């Protein structure tokens, strides 16, 4: 009976390790998908949201602030030259993911 428990415990440990590894792979894939979507913002807002003159900088802003702006563009409640076209193409979850991505970028030293 003791041998059976050791065998079962070993299988449970292996199953748990496989699940954790699988969850990590899913999280990494999601991170890459979000970074890919956020990369389209780099053309105007600069790498990691660090824009140059004339375009709002995203770095250092909260995810809530960025999401609120993006949602405003998507719904037409916030006027924009081109942002309404970009924001309309994403779901609320995608907008939140992009906002979170930029909020997590470490601001550069000035």
């Amino acid at each position: 009976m003791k041998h059976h428990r050791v065998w079962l415990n070993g299988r449970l440990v292996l199953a748990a390790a496989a699940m954790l590894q699988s969850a990590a792979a899913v999280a990494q894939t999601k991170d890459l998908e979000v970074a890919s979507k956020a990369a389209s913002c780099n053309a105007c807002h600069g790498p990691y949201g660090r824009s140059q003159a004339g375009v709002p900088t995203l770095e250092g802003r909260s995810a809530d602030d960025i999401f609120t702006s993006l949602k405003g563009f998507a719904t037409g409640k916030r006027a924009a030259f081109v942002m309404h076209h970009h924001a309309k193409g994403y779901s609320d979850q995608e907008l939140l993911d992009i906002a979170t991505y930029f909020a997590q970028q470490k601001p550069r030293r000035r």
Side-chain angles (χ1 to χ4, degrees), residues 57-108:
T57 294
L58 301 175
E59 72 170 348
R61 292 176 59 187
S62 71
D64 287 340
D65 184 39
I66 296 169
F67 175 76
T68 299
S69 293
L70 289 170
K71 188 66 176 165
F73 293 132
T75 61
K77 292 181 180 177
R78 185 167 180 183
F81 182 66
V82 295
M83 278 303 300
H84 59 290
H85 294 296
H86 295 292
K88 283 181 183 178
Y90 294 108
S91 69
D92 284 356
Q93 184 60 54
E94 290 170 319
L95 293 175
L96 182 58
D97 291 343
I98 291 168
T100 302
Y101 170 85
F102 283 111
Q104 291 173 344
Q105 301 308 309
K106 296 189 187 307
R108 63 183 165 205

Side-chain angles (χ1 to χ4, degrees), residues 12-74:
L12 289 174
V13 168
L14 287 174
M19 287 175 56
L20 287 174
Q21 191 174 30
S22 179
V26 167
Q28 186 177 24
T29 299
K30 178 155 173 76
D31 290 346
L32 290 173
E33 288 174 9
V34 172
S36 176
K37 290 173 185 168
S40 66
C41 306
N42 294 347
C44 297
H45 293 279
Y48 309 105
R50 298 172 183 152
S51 70
Q52 301 301 312
V55 177
T57 294
L58 301 175
E59 72 170 348
R61 292 176 59 187
S62 71
D64 287 340
D65 184 39
I66 296 169
F67 175 76
T68 299
S69 293
L70 289 170
K71 188 66 176 165
F73 293 132

